[in-house]
Structure formats: structure tokens, C-alpha cells
Amino acid sequence: MKLLISPAKKMRVDRDFLFPETVPALLERSAWLLDHIRTLSFPALKKLLACNDSLAEKAYEDFQSLKLFDGETPALLAYDGIQYKYMVPSLFTQEQLDYVKDHLRILSGFYGVLRPFDGVSPYRLEMQAKLKTEDCGNLYEFWGGLLGDFLLKEDTVLVNLASEEYAKAVRPYVKGKARFITCVFAEESEPGKLVEKGVYVKMARGEMVRFAAEHGVESPEGLKEFRRLGYSFAEELSGEDTYVFRRKPENKKKTPG
């Protein structure tokens, strides 16, 4: 079983805690992508990334100085979004680190697929970015079936904890070849009506990875025991390919910060 998660926009460099053990598996494809991005002017990159001047300047500098084969930070520690804050990988025991090394994969618009201890450098490039070249009209076309092919070589049971932006870079290519289970984290806004709220969903995805690592979960069925942040498995709403975790109004907690 492999757990699939999204990256975060915010990244950091950590040279002190853990060291990279491997390089990203699809790095040759990333090298082509990097060469193309470096040909873009600052205005063109800013438009591609759809961000403000400050973030675009940082991204431009990162791409110009990025050393593909010398990533300083393991992917597991390089991302700094809500999901990763609730996963808290810096507190994993050695046993839990070994678990995520085997079971966790991070999808990326720039690196394709990352294992937890692949060395990476800061970048900013979402999978939905409409990067156009002579051969493709966006990153989904650029990566094609490479992400799915890589994952299928490793496993045929994939648990999707990623956003739809990243999940759809894999789902079409593994359909009929692997079991692809999507975890849904929803709230009852009123009786019988479920809604997914972005911040809580990200929190739950991070907690789900931590839960799996703490309990050494080896099959999707083991994830049904997840009961954190007020969520619990809703058997009546779930199916073979969709696991719904529901939180009722009385279990809501104030959003941090």
C-alpha cells in the first residue's frame, strides 16, 4: 500500500535533522522542465505561477540557482504546509520513518513523484500551472503516464490523500491496473448534508499519515480505524474506492491561527 499526498507551496531547507538518502526517480524529466523554465522571463514566470511579485522573485531565484542532483532536504521535511504540520514528521520515531519510507509518496508538479528521503530543493510550481511547450499544453500532458507507471511498479494499492489537482495526474493511468482509494474528510453542515472544508481536510490528511505510521497500517482497511480531529469512518457513505470520514457539528474545533 502506498499513501499519496500533495506537496505544499511553502518549502524550507533543513540541513541538520535528517539527510537525503536518494535522488528523485524522475529527475531526468525534471531536468528538461528546469531548462525550459529557465528560459522564461520574470514576467512570464510570474504569469505562469499566478502569484505576487515577492513570491515570483523568490521562485525565479530558486529556479535559476536550483541544483537538481544536490537536493539538501529530504522531501518529507522540505514542505511546510498545514498537512505537514499535522503530520509532524520531525517527531517520527525511527520505526515510523521506516514506515513512511516504504508507504508514503509525494506528488509534485516539478519532481513528479517523490519518496520521503529523496533530496529536493525549494521550487514553486503547482501541477495545475499551464506551462506550455512545443510538446505539451500543461503539466498533466508533460508528465503523462510517468507518475502512474512509477507507482504501479511499486504497488497496486494506492490510497489517495492528495488534492484533486494532484490525484488526477495519477488516477487515469492506474485505472483498471491498481486499487485506487480516495479518502474523503467531510463535515455535516446540517443533518444529511456533507461538505469538505479545505483547512480541515488538509489537517486530517496529515493526521491520517501520522496515524498510519504510528500504527503500522499495512492495508486500506486498517485506515478505517482513524478517529482524530473528530472524524470517524462512515461505513454507510463509503464504497470500495471511496472512504468517507465524517465529522458531526458537535465535534467541530476552532481552526488554529
Side-chain angles (χ1 to χ4, degrees), residues 99-113:
Y99 175 89
V100 293
K101 185 188 300 185
D102 289 339
H103 294 280
L104 184 66
R105 298 295 180 261
I106 303 168
L107 307 178
S108 164
F110 181 67
Y111 286 106
V113 180

Side-chain angles (χ1 to χ4, degrees), residues 32 36 40 48 129-139 141:
W32 191 98
H36 177 76
L40 300 178
L48 173 69
K130 296 179 180 178
L131 188 145
K132 296 181 180 179
T133 71
E134 293 180 356
D135 301 318
C136 66
N138 54 51
L139 286 174
E141 292 180 8

Side-chain angles (χ1 to χ4, degrees), residues 63-229:
F63 279 124
Q64 294 301 319
S65 61
L66 195 150
K67 298 179 180 178
L68 271 180
F69 292 89
D70 194 25
E72 299 175 277
T73 308
L76 183 66
L77 302 176
Y79 296 103
D80 197 26
I82 293 172
Q83 178 177 234
Y84 294 84
K85 291 182 185 299
Y86 276 76
M87 190 195 312
V88 205
S90 60
L91 297 183
F92 280 167
T93 64
Q94 185 59 54
E95 185 177 6
Q96 291 160 5
L97 289 171
D98 290 340
Y99 175 89
V100 293
K101 185 188 300 185
D102 289 339
H103 294 280
L104 184 66
R105 298 295 180 261
I106 303 168
L107 307 178
S108 164
F110 181 67
Y111 286 106
V113 180
L114 290 165
R115 297 160 295 197
F117 285 87
D118 286 345
V120 300
S121 299
Y123 69 93
R124 187 182 183 90
L125 187 67
E126 297 176 69
M127 186 66 79
Q128 63 189 2
K130 296 179 180 178
L131 188 145
K132 296 181 180 179
T133 71
E134 293 180 356
D135 301 318
C136 66
N138 54 51
L139 286 174
Y140 295 107
E141 292 180 8
F142 174 80
W143 287 110
L146 289 177
L147 281 64
D149 289 345
F150 175 80
L151 292 168
L152 287 171
K153 289 178 181 177
E154 292 195 313
D155 215 310
T156 55
V157 179
L158 307 175
V159 176
N160 175 35
L161 293 170
S163 65
E164 182 59 20
E165 174 187 350
Y166 288 90
K168 67 182 185 180
V170 174
R171 187 189 294 111
Y173 303 99
V174 301
K175 186 176 181 179
K177 302 175 184 177
R179 188 179 177 195
F180 191 85
I181 303 144
T182 295
C183 291
V184 175
F185 300 94
E187 298 181 7
E188 276 191 351
S189 58
E190 56 186 71
K193 185 177 181 180
L194 296 179
V195 295
E196 296 179 73
K197 296 187 176 180
V199 172
Y200 289 108
V201 170
K202 291 177 182 178
M203 291 161 56
R205 288 168 174 162
E207 285 278 8
M208 178 66 88
V209 175
R210 169 161 282 280
F211 168 82
E214 289 176 349
H215 294 274
V217 178
E218 293 292 339
S219 71
E221 288 69 29
L223 299 175
K224 295 179 181 180
E225 300 303 316
F226 176 82
R227 285 172 177 78
R228 298 186 179 182
L229 301 175

